[in-house]
Amino acid sequence: MFTHLLETQKPTVTALIFVGTFFAALTIGRLLKRRAGVRLGILFKLFCLVLAFYAATAFYGVHVGWRNHVDAAAIWLTTAFVVALLDRYLWDAYFEKKRQTPIPHFPRQVVALLIYVIATLLVLIVVYHAQGLFAPLLATSGVVAVVLGFAMQDLIGGIIAGIALQISKPYKVGDWLHVQDRFAEVMEINWRSTRLRTNDGIYLDIPNFTIARGTIVNLHYPTQTHAMRIRVGVDYEVPPNRVKDALHRAASSAEGVVPDPPTRVFVVDFAESAVVYEIKFSMGNHRAFNEVCDAIRTNIWYEFKRQQITIPFPIRTLHVQRSQKRVGDGQAEARAILRSEPLFDCMNDAQLENILQQAQIHRYGRGERLIQEGDRSDSMFIMLRGTAAVSVAKNGTGIRVGVMRQGDCFGEISLLTGEPRSATVRADGDCEVLEISKPVMAEVLRESPQCLTALSELLAKRRLEGDNIVKDAPLPDDQGLKEREYSASFLRRLRAVFEL
């Protein structure tokens, strides 16, 4: 039965003997190289091929003359010469030296083996006239080839992907990649997989076809400098610009953070218990990521302690808010400013207290506009904290003409006369202002009609000075007459605006 099987499957067995003899001889040679240090080159591979060929032909029973063997030897020697040229000029000279792309040993062997297989087929067909061997061999091995193809598809896919990654070079050994939601350093790239190591010393062995199918995020390309982000939650009561300045100082001064590109801070969310800020900072080698993040967070803790900024716990707080707006902490400063402002000289303490109780305090951040030139509004402002720039438009460009500081009043002309805003006021930094609206002022004026005359005279004087902008203008000769005219005009407008 066994003899009958050998006779019926003789081509397949012959092919198996050829492959088995070749790899057995090649394995023995590698053992000699590793154990005894014997250096075997391409001639030994040729010897293994010839040995496998003669073992297969001896089993199959092919008998030919010595001339055919000489022709076969010539073809194989030529093949060995071609493989040597490929190693020298294609793999070494072109890829490794010119393109700086190292080609692993395995794909070189695969290409060489394919060339030897083609040469062997040429020897069988041209030299030994064994065309009849291929028809039964192909017919018998078709199913085997399909089974082997399905079984080795991942292996073959990994080899092809490994060769593609070696040629395109999306990353190299020493680069840091973002793979499968992890940051890891490339330790080794072989024909089947890429070996990575995380910051925790965990090694990941990822098949090349898995990496090739996904998006490759290389943190070290084109340079090692790359941006990372950290989020921090801060109490709602702290102004955003104050928090941004503190976070910027803390992150910029942390060890390992590079100055270029500069550190930036963003407000990214208003969460349940905190305002969430995101710090975007740049660093060099990602190997120090844990240390850099630790330095930034440590600096933030100390900076927040110095600035009295709190990071809230995730709690829920019930706020009971009264419908009436109160001045709160700025009441003492606002009372002192109002008492020193000539606009309120005609008012008694009760009336000033009434204004304070009904006025509102607003916070503005750096660059925000408090009032806009040309807008119509019916309120005035008193600067409690901070500074703001005053500018007027000229030829389409804003020209800075002054600064509003703590204790300064502005917008009173629009409140009292209804005229449009004569200038734009924009916050230089974080500032707090007290806003007094028209209904609040109207209630006081109804109780004290004598204030109308005092206010009209004050407005007339300020109009002569240039609407509170040009302070040092020379006084005209007929100042008294113009002042009386302005005063009478403002008195009529005050009565009309406040319906008195």
Side-chain angles (χ1 to χ4, degrees), residues 57-68:
T57 55
F59 172 79
Y60 198 77
V62 178
H63 301 285
V64 292
W66 64 272
R67 288 180 178 274
N68 300 90

Side-chain angles (χ1 to χ4, degrees), residues 12 15-16 19 23 137 140-157 159:
T12 304
L16 293 176
V19 174
F23 282 106
L137 181 62
T140 306
S141 60
V143 177
V144 177
V146 172
V147 173
L148 290 176
F150 277 109
M152 300 179 65
Q153 60 180 347
D154 289 344
L155 177 63
I156 296 173
I159 294 173

